[in-house]
Amino acid sequence: MRLEPYRHVFALPGVLRLLLVALLARVPVTAVGITLTLHVVLDLKRGYAAAGAVSALTTIGMALGGPILGRFVDRRGLRPVLLLTTVASMIFWAVAPELPYPMLLPVAFVGGALTLPVFSVVRQSLAALVPDEHRRAAYSIDSMSVEITFMVGPALAVVILTSTSATATMWGLGTAIALAGIGLYAFNPPTRSDEERAAGTPTERHRVLNPRLVTVLAAVAGSTFVLAGTDVGIVAVLRDSDQVSWTGVVIIAWCAASLVGGFVYGALPRPWSPFVIMALLGLLTMPGGLAGHWQWLCLLLVPAGLLCAPAMASSSDIISRMVPAPVRGEAMGWYSSALTTGSSLGAPAVGFVIDRFGSAWGFVLAGAGGAVVALLALLVTQRRPGAPAPTPAPQALAGVGAGAP
């Protein structure tokens, strides 16, 4: 395995600092969902359906706000957006614990729309700091970093909440997000390289959303549909076997496989087609429902887990190359919206199927849904001239058949 791609990435000016700042800034953002859910259930004495409504409105706000904030970054620069979203986050988390439930709903929507855009900003900045030939390794590192923050953030929020209160946790979370925004504002990572700023590529809106980009975004939403559905499926399978206490161990094993897969993908001599990776992610998720014990579930999820980080890294890489630099912020905003949309659809859809047909069918729906969307995207891009893919799809498929890692 070649480690040179990673050495080149870390040697680039500003990259290591960006990744470290991103790692710290993302931790509180990943804890937003679980904190709001537990606040509604514990403090407001509402059910999980009510908590789901707050999460849904927050998610919808994020999906709608992402492209708008990204376009604002393209036109006005990063710091005004960071200032706006940091102040908005401080206000939201300061007042949210005191709001009655009916008022929390619209405020959660606005708070979601003005969420600190740390994920899209980091991806946009990596595209500016890292040359094309090393960008796949950079996005692999970023995907592994995201995996770590999702392992740490929600768990840390639960620990703090159970030892203090939901209200105190919300105020602490707001402080942490504000500090993250201040840190990013002080760092002010570049969103375009010097060459890209000098090129002055046109910024018409039609250059952002086009059929090729929409196809990729649909596949991205399909991949996060798989991931969100797997989360629900894990709990359902373990509940059926009366092993819910092992949920954390299974999720850690799944995430650990993702870290390994992301590391291997970034070091490969040639990339795979992102659509092939996403299709395999879905297909390899489907057997998870066959597990009758937590150890078997860990083993059955390892093959799909190995493809989680590569799916995110490859999609980030391809989108960063598809649009001109002056509109990359909006494109990354749409990318974040696709990630959010897939996640928001995956959990309720899979939960619906599990309630009616059993836990095994939840994995079938999650995997099949993502695989079908990815395969359709692969077919569409093969037929469309100038289809976006790091390598031609036939080569990628041949690599899989030859036993490529």
Side-chain angles (χ1 to χ4, degrees), residues 97-194:
E98 308 300 328
L99 294 177
Y101 180 76
M103 290 190 64
L104 180 62
L105 292 170
V107 173
F109 172 80
V110 176
L114 295 176
T115 295
L116 186 71
V118 58
F119 289 91
S120 58
V121 165
V122 172
R123 295 182 183 114
Q124 185 179 2
S125 185
L126 280 175
L129 291 170
V130 181
D132 287 353
E133 63 269 22
H134 301 307
R135 203 170 286 170
R136 176 163 54 92
Y139 281 122
S140 294
I141 298 169
D142 183 60
S143 295
M144 290 186 280
S145 171
V146 170
E147 199 74 59
I148 293 171
T149 58
F150 272 101
M151 293 171 66
V152 173
L156 185 61
V158 171
V159 170
I160 296 174
L161 190 147
T162 53
S163 60
T164 57
S165 67
T167 298
T169 304
M170 293 173 76
W171 284 338
L173 186 59
T175 302
I177 292 176
L179 291 174
I182 293 170
L184 284 170
Y185 186 94
F187 180 26
N188 193 27
T191 56
R192 300 186 213 172
S193 66
D194 293 337

Side-chain angles (χ1 to χ4, degrees), residues 26-382:
R26 283 168 166 165
V27 169
V29 177
T30 61
V32 167
I34 188 66
T35 302
L36 285 175
T37 295
L38 293 176
H39 167 65
V40 172
V41 172
L42 299 178
D43 287 353
L44 301 182
K45 309 300 182 184
R46 299 272 182 158
Y48 285 99
V54 174
S55 296
L57 285 170
T58 305
T59 300
I60 293 171
M62 289 179 178
L64 295 176
I68 297 173
L69 293 175
R71 196 176 190 192
F72 198 1
V73 171
D74 292 332
R75 296 193 170 192
R76 303 295 181 186
L78 179 58
R79 277 184 161 169
V81 173
L82 292 176
L83 182 61
L84 170 66
T85 53
T86 300
V87 172
S89 296
M90 292 172 62
I91 295 173
F92 172 77
W93 291 105
V95 303
E98 308 300 328
L99 294 177
Y101 180 76
M103 290 190 64
L104 180 62
L105 292 170
V107 173
F109 172 80
V110 176
L114 295 176
T115 295
L116 186 71
V118 58
F119 289 91
S120 58
V121 165
V122 172
R123 295 182 183 114
Q124 185 179 2
S125 185
L126 280 175
L129 291 170
V130 181
D132 287 353
E133 63 269 22
H134 301 307
R135 203 170 286 170
R136 176 163 54 92
Y139 281 122
S140 294
I141 298 169
D142 183 60
S143 295
M144 290 186 280
S145 171
V146 170
E147 199 74 59
I148 293 171
T149 58
F150 272 101
M151 293 171 66
V152 173
L156 185 61
V158 171
V159 170
I160 296 174
L161 190 147
T162 53
S163 60
T164 57
S165 67
T167 298
T169 304
M170 293 173 76
W171 284 338
L173 186 59
T175 302
I177 292 176
L179 291 174
I182 293 170
L184 284 170
Y185 186 94
F187 180 26
N188 193 27
T191 56
R192 300 186 213 172
S193 66
D194 293 337
E195 294 79 6
E196 289 168 341
R197 281 194 293 268
T201 310
T203 60
E204 290 85 354
R205 183 174 175 78
H206 72 273
R207 296 295 301 277
V208 183
L209 275 185
N210 55 61
R212 294 188 301 157
L213 182 59
V214 170
T215 301
V216 177
L217 293 175
V220 169
S223 65
T224 52
F225 180 94
V226 176
L227 301 182
T230 301
D231 275 331
V232 178
I234 289 172
V235 175
V237 166
L238 294 177
R239 184 178 180 183
D240 286 349
S241 57
D242 196 25
Q243 296 177 330
V244 177
S245 60
W246 292 96
T247 301
V249 175
V250 174
I251 291 177
I252 289 173
W254 184 40
C255 292
S258 177
L259 291 173
V260 173
F263 182 81
V264 172
Y265 177 74
L268 289 177
R270 291 196 310 172
W272 287 10
S273 163
F275 304 122
V276 172
I277 296 174
M278 294 174 190
L280 288 174
L281 171 64
L283 293 173
L284 293 174
T285 295
M286 294 172 68
L290 299 176
H293 197 274
W294 70 268
Q295 288 120 324
W296 283 110
L297 186 56
C298 287
L299 291 175
L300 288 173
L301 288 178
V302 164
L306 290 170
L307 296 171
C308 293
M312 298 301 102
S314 61
S315 56
S316 298
D317 185 20
I318 194 173
I319 288 177
S320 73
R321 302 171 190 269
M322 287 178 63
V323 297
V327 293
R328 193 182 287 140
E330 184 177 349
M332 287 301 177
W334 284 112
Y335 176 64
S336 294
S337 295
L339 294 172
T340 303
T341 300
S343 297
S344 63
L345 294 175
V350 170
F352 178 85
V353 169
I354 289 173
D355 287 341
R356 282 153 182 78
F357 303 105
S359 57
W361 288 101
F363 281 96
V364 172
L365 174 64
V372 167
V373 173
L375 290 172
L376 288 175
L378 179 61
L379 291 174
V380 169
T381 53
Q382 279 187 326

Side-chain angles (χ1 to χ4, degrees), residues 5-23:
Y6 293 114
R7 294 193 185 102
H8 285 302
V9 169
F10 285 121
L12 292 169
V15 170
L16 179 59
R17 184 182 176 190
L18 172 67
L19 293 171
L20 291 175
V21 171
L23 182 66

